[in-house]
Amino acid sequence: FNKIGPMLLGTFPFVMIFLVTSINMLRERNQGTLDRMLVSPIGRADIMVGYAAAFAVVAALQCAITMTFARLLLDMSVQGSTVAAFAIVLLIALYGNALGLTLSAFARSEFQAVQFMPLFLLPQIFLSGLLVPAEQMPRAMEVLARVNPLTYVFRLLSSVMNQGAGFWDAENSTDIAVA
C-alpha cells in the first residue's frame, strides 16, 4: 500500500475533478448560460478563466478531503512535507480540471463527456506506473510513459510521501530509464 497509496491518492482527485468539470461545463453550455454570458461585454477567455478558478476551488476542497481521509482514516504516513504532498495532489487535480475544460468542448452530451474517461484518462493512469513500473513496460509503452505527465507527478508524490523528499527534489522521481 505504501507503493501505490500515494499514486491512488493523486488518482481520485484527478478523475473526480475531470468528471465534475467536464459535466458541469457541458451542462452550462447546453442550458445556454455561456451563450447568454457572451452577449455581455465579458470575453470568452474571461469566462473560461472564471470557470477554471471556480473549479480550482472545488479541486482544492476535494484534495483536502482526500488527504484528510488518507491521513486520518487510512493512516497513510507522509515522510516529507504534508504541504508539499497536498500541493502535488492539487497539481494533479488541476491537470484534471484543465483536461475537463478542454474535452468538454468536444462533447455533445453528458454521456459523451464520461466516455472521454477511457479515451484520455485511463491510458494516462495505466502508463503512469500505478500498475506496472515504466521500466518494466514494453519499449513503445515506456516511451509513452516518458511523455505522460502523471508518471512524473506520481513518482514525485511517492518520493515525498515515502522517502521524505521535498517538492523540488524531482531527481528521484524523473529517472525513467529508457535503454
Side-chain angles (χ1 to χ4, degrees), residues 67-151:
M67 288 287 294
T68 303
F69 179 82
R71 294 289 313 267
L72 298 178
L73 296 176
L74 297 179
D75 199 30
M76 189 180 288
S77 65
V78 178
Q79 301 299 321
S81 169
T82 304
V83 174
F86 177 80
I88 296 167
V89 172
L90 182 60
L91 184 68
I92 296 168
L94 292 177
Y95 176 56
N97 185 6
L99 278 176
L101 285 173
T102 303
L103 294 176
S104 70
F106 300 107
R108 300 287 173 242
S109 68
E110 292 174 7
F111 181 68
Q112 282 182 336
V114 172
Q115 284 180 323
F116 284 138
M117 246 181 67
L119 287 174
F120 292 96
L121 268 61
L122 290 180
Q124 290 184 57
I125 292 170
F126 289 147
L127 290 172
S128 69
L130 178 64
L131 302 175
V132 176
E135 297 81 13
Q136 296 176 5
M137 293 181 188
R139 174 84 171 131
M141 292 179 74
E142 187 177 347
V143 170
L144 290 174
R146 284 186 65 103
V147 297
N148 181 11
L150 289 184
T151 302

Side-chain angles (χ1 to χ4, degrees), residues 43-57:
R44 182 178 296 266
D46 297 330
I47 293 171
M48 293 307 289
V49 167
Y51 274 108
F55 289 127
V57 171

Side-chain angles (χ1 to χ4, degrees), residues 25-34 107-110:
M25 277 304 293
L26 187 63
R27 281 186 183 167
E28 292 289 326
R29 194 174 72 234
N30 287 343
Q31 291 175 353
T33 306
L34 293 176
R108 300 287 173 242
S109 68
E110 292 174 7

